[in-house]
Amino acid sequence: MLSHSSECGVRMGDNAKVVNSRRGRPPGRSDARERVIEAATTVFMEVGYARASLRMIAQLAGVSHSLVNYHFGSKQGLFGEVMSLTLMPSQVLGEALRQRPGETPAMLARRFVGTVVTAWDDAHLSDPFVAMLREAMAEESMRSNVAEFMEREVLAVVATRIGGPDATVRAAGVGMCIAGLVMGRYLLRVGPLVALSKEEIVRVLAPMVAVHLC
C-alpha cells in the first residue's frame, strides 16, 4: 500500500530517459523493478495519480522509461502493483460493457452486473481492492489518489463504452449503482446485502444500470 514520503525529489524537466527501441527486456540493474515500485509510491503520494507520469517515476527510480513499460505496461498497471491489486477494473469493465450483436440495454446491464458480482465475490480478486478502499477512507492523501484512479480508470472506461454526448453523466449513474453495491456488500458487509445471491443482485440492480445504458 502507499505510504507517506517526506520528499518526492521528482524533477519536472524533460531530461528523463526515453523509450528504448530494442526488443526484449531493457538493460538495468536486477533490483530495478523494486526501485520503480518504491519511486511510484513516492510519486503517487506527492503529486497524485492524475499528475504522475511513468517518465517522472522512471527518472526518480533511475531507470529508463522503457524499463517501466516492460515491467508494468501502463500507469494503471503500476498503480495496481503499488496497491497490490490482482485485477484492474478496466479489465472487467471493458469486457462486461462490450455490447454483443442483438443485445439490448437490459441484457447488457444484466451481464454487466453479473460480471461485477462474480469478480467482487472472488476474495482473491476483491480483497486487495477492499483494503485499498478502506485505507482511502481513513487517509486523505490516499483518498485523493484512489478517487483520481477511479475517475480515470473506471468511470472514463464506462463513459467510453457508453458513448454519446452525455456519456460522462450516464457513466456516473452506472458508477453510483455499483458504488452502493460495493459499499454495502463488500466494505460494510451489511447482512441482507451479503445474503443476496448473484441472481438476486442482478434482478434488483440491473434495471437501475440499464436506465443509464439506453
Side-chain angles (χ1 to χ4, degrees), residues 17-27 64-67 69:
K17 296 179 182 179
V18 297
V19 174
N20 192 315
S21 60
R22 289 183 292 180
R23 293 182 178 180
R25 182 186 185 278
S64 68
H65 186 190
S66 59
L67 192 67
N69 280 326

Side-chain angles (χ1 to χ4, degrees), residues 173-190:
V174 173
M176 285 187 284
C177 293
I178 300 304
L181 170 67
V182 170
M183 177 64 74
R185 183 175 173 90
Y186 304 102
L187 268 72
L188 299 180
R189 304 287 297 173
V190 178

